[in-house]
Amino acid sequence: MLGLQSALVSLLFILADGALEVDVASGGRRGVDESIPVIEIRGEGKPMSAAQIRHLEEISNGGPLDIKVEKTFVPAKCVAAAKRKDFVSFHYKAFTEDGKKVDQTYGVGPVTIQLGTGMVIPGLDKGLRGMCSGELRKIQVPYRLSRKAKSRVWKNIPNDEHWLTFDVEMIHVQPYSEDGQFSFLDMNNDTRLDQNEVVGWLQRMKKEYGKSWKNEDIDNVSAAKYYIKYFDVNGDGKVEKREWLVVMRRDEDLMASRTDLSSKEKGRRRDPGVAWILDFNNDGVVSYKEVDEADELIEKGPTLLPIFKDEL
């Protein structure tokens, strides 16, 4: 009996509506104002991961953590402020949260990427927007915006830091243009694309920058075949620059005419690179559904063929 009483001393019944707390040991009653429930959580199984802990921290701060930007130098004249799809070249020094330098481009050469296309960690991509040639910024990136597959360019950037800091010097901003986009794809500068070159471009993007398909079932060779057929107006197995331009402008016109539909789609804005083909309905947005079905649709081949009334 004494053992039972001893066990009951620490047992509290807390009513679901918080109206009353009963202390079994003393038999007394206390009102709501006097009752402060104490919850003890005992861990069973594996401890929480760093990502789970950081998620809880973000919630406690009132919402997801975002980047922090400090403009340390802004040139008096800005010819072009960097925006999505622009090509930017920049130097950086990268530091961990405790101030340890983990990487820098000085002495090696600046990095050149296309903004908004998955070539860099999301937080740095966001922090580079609006920068002008010659501008200096300190960009702090929280964990949730620092995830990126390892690659040659980003191999020294850690994936497990609560905060990363980048001291960035913008070297050059090249505004997006259709000619510039084709040159970016045309790795051997012969003004035409073939299947092997498209496959090589996809492999380079993954190896150098960690940029890959969101749907892992997409095969690069199948995607390259689809891409060539999608742009190949004369059917010779190669895409001349003039062919590419006329098909791109056709798609841009289709996108502009379907803005009402694109606003309802959930997904990402259309990628101007090889992933252009994933927007199967040409509304300007690659929906989650299109990504999920992409491997099957690519194998079937394009339904919208590059056929025009006037020959090139």
Side-chain angles (χ1 to χ4, degrees):
M1 188 64 177
L2 289 175
L4 178 59
Q5 288 178 338
S6 176
L8 290 174
V9 169
S10 61
L11 180 62
L12 297 176
F13 291 95
I14 302 175
L15 300 183
D17 60 3
L20 185 67
E21 184 181 73
V22 180
D23 188 331
V24 178
S26 65
R29 294 190 175 192
R30 290 177 290 174
V32 176
D33 293 339
E34 298 173 309
S35 303
I36 303 175
V38 178
I39 301 173
E40 180 181 358
I41 301 175
R42 297 178 182 272
E44 294 183 2
K46 295 181 179 179
M48 287 192 296
S49 66
Q52 290 171 317
I53 293 173
R54 290 180 179 117
H55 177 64
L56 292 176
E57 291 174 346
E58 290 167 6
I59 293 175
S60 69
N61 287 333
L65 297 178
D66 205 347
I67 64 171
K68 299 176 183 178
V69 176
E70 178 185 345
K71 298 181 180 180
T72 52
F73 174 77
V74 179
K77 184 178 180 180
C78 181
V79 177
K83 59 186 182 300
R84 182 180 179 270
K85 297 198 300 185
D86 288 351
F87 296 93
V88 297
S89 297
F90 59 96
H91 275 300
Y92 70 83
K93 293 180 181 178
F95 301 87
T96 59
E97 189 171 14
D98 60 4
K100 179 184 177 182
K101 185 170 70 174
V102 291
D103 196 18
Q104 72 170 21
T105 56
Y106 293 99
V108 179
V111 172
T112 298
I113 64 165
Q114 185 173 24
L115 287 174
T117 63
M119 293 178 67
V120 65
I121 62 175
L124 187 53
D125 190 296
K126 185 176 182 179
L128 292 168
R129 310 286 178 99
M131 289 192 74
C132 306
S133 298
E135 183 174 343
L136 304 177
R137 283 187 183 182
K138 182 184 294 293
I139 303 170
Q140 291 181 279
V141 180
Y143 175 81
R144 76 180 189 94
L145 296 176
S146 67
R147 308 299 292 166
K148 192 81 182 81
K150 288 295 182 183
S151 62
R152 189 192 67 80
V153 173
W154 309 120
K155 63 182 179 181
N156 294 322
I157 305 299
N159 275 336
D160 56 356
E161 284 293 310
H162 197 175
W163 286 94
L164 288 170
T165 298
F166 293 87
D167 289 340
V168 177
E169 176 187 1
M170 182 61 70
I171 304 299
H172 180 65
V173 177
Q174 178 186 338
Y176 169 83
S177 68
E178 292 170 339
D179 285 344
Q181 187 66 51
F182 185 84
S183 297
F184 184 51
L185 294 163
D186 183 19
M187 294 192 299
N188 61 7
N189 299 312
D190 64 353
T191 70
R192 63 174 60 90
L193 304 174
D194 60 24
Q195 180 180 315
N196 290 335
E197 190 168 9
V198 173
V199 170
W201 187 87
L202 290 168
Q203 292 173 338
R204 174 174 173 259
M205 288 298 105
K206 183 174 183 179
K207 180 180 179 180
E208 299 286 310
Y209 303 99
K211 175 180 167 68
S212 59
W213 299 108
K214 298 299 181 183
N215 182 338
E216 295 179 354
D217 292 329
I218 296 176
D219 175 70
N220 280 350
V221 174
S222 297
K225 287 180 180 178
Y226 185 107
Y227 190 86
I228 296 300
K229 191 172 183 180
Y230 188 85
F231 284 94
D232 185 13
V233 177
N234 64 12
D236 67 351
K238 297 181 179 180
V239 178
E240 303 286 343
K241 182 177 180 179
R242 57 179 182 168
E243 293 178 303
W244 187 89
L245 289 172
V246 74
V247 174
M248 284 292 288
R249 289 164 184 165
R250 174 204 67 185
D251 288 358
E252 288 168 349
D253 289 342
L254 287 172
M255 289 160 53
S257 68
R258 304 184 67 181
T259 53
D260 58 327
L261 178 60
S262 65
S263 64
K264 300 177 184 178
E265 292 286 342
K266 292 183 178 181
R268 295 181 177 272
R269 294 169 67 182
R270 196 170 192 175
D271 188 319
V274 176
W276 184 262
I277 58 177
L278 298 185
D279 184 14
F280 296 101
N281 65 0
N282 285 286
D283 70 339
V285 173
V286 178
S287 67
Y288 301 135
K289 185 174 185 294
E290 286 175 316
V291 172
D292 289 341
E293 299 176 352
D295 55 314
E296 298 176 3
L297 295 174
I298 285 173
E299 291 294 340
K300 293 178 181 178
T303 56
L304 180 62
L305 295 174
I307 300 174
F308 300 89
K309 293 181 180 179
D310 299 324
E311 294 184 2
L312 293 176

